[in-house]
Amino acid sequence: MEHGSGTHTVFNQTPPLTDYNLFESDRALQEAVQREGAAWAAPELKLAGGELGTCTLFEHGRLANRFPPVLHNFDARGERIDSIEFHPSWHALMRGIVARGYHSSPWSQDPATRGAHAARAAGYLMQAQIESGTLCPTTMTYGAIAALRRDAWLARDCVPRLLTREYDSRDIPFDKKRGGLIGMGMTEKQGGSDVRANTTHAVRTSDGSYRITGHKWFFSAPQSDAHLVLAQSSSGLSCFFMPRRLPDGSLNGIYIQRLKDKLGNRSNASSEVEFVDAWGTLLGEEGRGIPTILEMGTFTRLDCCTGSAGMMRQAVVQALHHAHHRKAFGSLLIEQPLMRSVLVDMALESEAACALSLRLARAFDSDSPGEIALRRALTSAAKFWVCKRGCELAAEAMEVLGGNGYTEELPLARMAREMPVNSIWEGSGNIMCLDVLRAFGKSQATREAVLDELSGARGQERHFDAAFERFAAGIDAGDLTEAHARRFAQSFVTLMQAKSLLVGAANPSARAVAEGFCASRLGDRGWGAVFGASTAQVDTAAILARAWNQD
């Protein structure tokens, strides 16, 4: 007998979860796409869901993180090249992202097309389930286009190249490429989120361009073809478009010092850089750099929420798949009451995050004053809450799988490391909550838009009605204090999630989710401190069957 063969019979292990359609298996996402005006995109999303759910794509996600990018400052002759080497799986993932248009598709649609941002958000949510590092240049390009279109030269010479669906990884001047990507440089050593403390300075030259000198502590996706950066000009903090290479092919004065060694997001190259007389052109008005770059930031904050919702969905699916196959103490995990409580709570959280992300994306599809006012407050609140809850949910899903979930052979450990970056990047939780307070405090239109939106679900569920009355009374009483900003943002977001679920409850399973969410999140006795600790009565069977059907 071969040594050890008699002790190595494998049984009671969960089969791999691959080769399934991410869109067809997600009823909540399908219904949200219909509800938020993007039904026309369902065939394309179905196709993308099938492509993304393959073993090949999951393996690309694993390899891109197993072999992170490597910085090469010099070539063999000693020439400065500041080149970043990526694993082939990174490029394979990026080709798929660009081919699906997740970096730019809403901007290439006919302006009359309803639901373009919602459709793109649905695809982005599925892409996030495979790998998240590649979403960094994806989302920055998506957001940058909104700002670049306001400049006549960039709109004519730059934006069309960003709208193509061809991924071009060549390190050559932007105007010679078939497609391009944009990065961002805002934060510095001494300032962090306080970008007004930036010391990088820009000097205007005789031809109207600028020469920029300074540093960036976090310079996202340095391999990108160009970056939007903040620097101090004679009129104050301003925003500049800075290409990686100059038209003659030489490197701009951007010197990559090192790549960041991060907890997660390891497939993506984040860097520290120094600028030495780097060429740039002004974007927007001098001294108005923060509002200019925040137009980009608003869209990237939307993606932080949507990306976290995508990872939450995959974490829940992994947990449910395991629970349907793994036996412990004589029965399947899915049959055990306490485990069902945990899984139901996670399923509610995931669907609520999906519903909120798609509803928020719809607000970007409209230029109506009410939708603009709503997204002004909701974008920051949604980013704060969904990203926070994603961190907790990923850890809980890992625990469902036990030791197997903690290993790098399954995607949950990677997702647990990925989740915090969405909470930190583009403004941490406190920054988001203070932004919510400013939106409500400065604009009566914002208050009216929020209350009008929430009123659309009144009279459907008693816990929602009571929570709405408390929230509205708090606004009227001026209960918008900085010390309680997190509590206020939490109340706002959970009400918005409940509202989206209630108006979408067009069938019994969706109704079970809406009522379960309201009872467990808005009820006086419902919410537990951890997943699975709620005392609310919910339709467990309906919610679990909706969240994941093995067939």
Side-chain angles (χ1 to χ4, degrees), residues 185-236:
M186 294 177 64
T187 59
E188 299 184 1
K189 299 184 187 74
Q190 71 283 350
S193 296
D194 183 9
V195 294
R196 294 189 185 278
N198 284 7
T199 60
T200 296
H201 62 276
V203 177
R204 185 182 173 92
T205 65
S206 59
D207 66 2
S209 64
Y210 290 76
R211 292 292 180 171
I212 300 169
T213 300
H215 78 280
K216 293 298 170 186
W217 189 234
F218 279 94
F219 194 66
S220 297
Q223 77 280 4
S224 298
D225 299 292
H227 285 73
L228 301 190
V229 302
L230 292 179
Q232 301 285 357
S233 71
S234 59
S235 299

Side-chain angles (χ1 to χ4, degrees), residues 57-67 89 93 130-131 408-410 414:
L57 267 291
F58 279 104
E59 182 64 2
H60 278 318
R62 186 187 73 83
L63 290 172
N65 285 271
R66 176 68 178 81
F67 300 99
S89 285
L93 290 165
I130 306 305
E131 204 282 320
E408 296 295 341
E409 294 169 306
L410 294 172
R414 171 157 47 92

Side-chain angles (χ1 to χ4, degrees), residues 20 49 77 100 107 143 204 218 287 297 354 376 426 440 457 461 547:
Y20 73 101
R77 299 181 303 277
R100 296 179 194 102
W107 311 114
R204 185 182 173 92
F218 279 94
C354 171
R376 171 68 183 87
E426 288 301 319
F440 276 87
E461 206 280 337

Side-chain angles (χ1 to χ4, degrees), residues 5 8 44 93 99 105 135 156 179 200 207 215 226 238 260 298 333 354-355 366 416 420 434 471 479 523:
S5 63
H8 199 64
E44 184 177 341
L93 290 165
S105 59
L135 296 183
R156 183 187 70 243
T200 296
D207 66 2
H215 78 280
S238 304
K260 294 288 193 178
T298 299
L333 294 179
C354 171
S366 173
L434 293 174
F471 180 73
D479 191 20

Side-chain angles (χ1 to χ4, degrees), residues 400-474:
V400 172
L401 273 69
N404 283 352
Y406 197 63
T407 68
E408 296 295 341
E409 294 169 306
L410 294 172
L412 285 170
R414 171 157 47 92
M415 279 189 274
R417 290 196 307 274
E418 290 284 3
M419 283 290 191
V421 73
N422 282 340
S423 194
I424 296 168
W425 189 47
E426 288 301 319
S428 62
N430 283 356
I431 297 295
M432 293 299 96
C433 292
L434 293 174
D435 196 40
V436 173
L437 287 194
R438 282 192 292 270
F440 276 87
K442 290 184 177 180
S443 171
Q444 182 63 30
T446 296
R447 300 183 186 201
E448 292 173 357
V450 168
L451 293 178
D452 182 63
E453 172 75 15
L454 294 174
S455 294
R458 295 180 73 182
Q460 296 189 42
E461 206 280 337
R462 62 185 181 88
H463 297 106
F464 177 88
D465 290 348
F468 173 83
E469 295 300 331
R470 292 193 298 269
F471 180 73

Side-chain angles (χ1 to χ4, degrees), residues 69-74 80-86 187-189 215-223 227 244 254-262 266 268-275:
V70 177
L71 171 64
H72 301 288
N73 289 116
F74 301 92
R80 186 84 188 225
I81 56 173
D82 283 4
S83 175
I84 300 173
E85 179 185 1
F86 290 89
T187 59
E188 299 184 1
K189 299 184 187 74
H215 78 280
K216 293 298 170 186
W217 189 234
F218 279 94
F219 194 66
S220 297
Q223 77 280 4
H227 285 73
R244 171 170 163 78
I254 305 168
Y255 298 94
I256 303 175
Q257 302 303 299
R258 62 170 175 165
L259 300 186
K260 294 288 193 178
D261 187 6
K262 300 166 293 184
R266 299 187 69 84
N268 179 44
S270 302
S271 65
E272 297 171 27
V273 298
E274 290 186 357
F275 304 142

Side-chain angles (χ1 to χ4, degrees), residues 488-549:
F488 179 78
Q490 174 184 330
S491 298
F492 172 31
V493 174
T494 49
L495 275 168
M496 277 298 305
Q497 289 178 316
K499 187 267 178 182
S500 295
L501 294 173
L502 285 168
V503 299
N507 56 66
S509 68
R511 187 71 197 178
V513 168
E515 292 178 347
F517 184 86
C518 291
S520 60
R521 271 60 175 175
L522 304 179
D524 293 336
R525 299 173 56 250
W527 208 333
V530 295
F531 284 104
S534 171
T535 60
Q537 297 297 310
V538 302
D539 189 341
T540 298
I543 294 169
L544 290 178
R546 176 180 172 84
W548 180 242
N549 188 330

Side-chain angles (χ1 to χ4, degrees), residues 161 168-180 225:
R161 197 162 285 106
D168 188 344
S169 63
R170 294 176 298 166
D171 188 8
I172 59 176
F174 194 15
D175 62 358
K176 294 179 173 61
K177 297 190 68 171
R178 297 187 294 268
D225 299 292

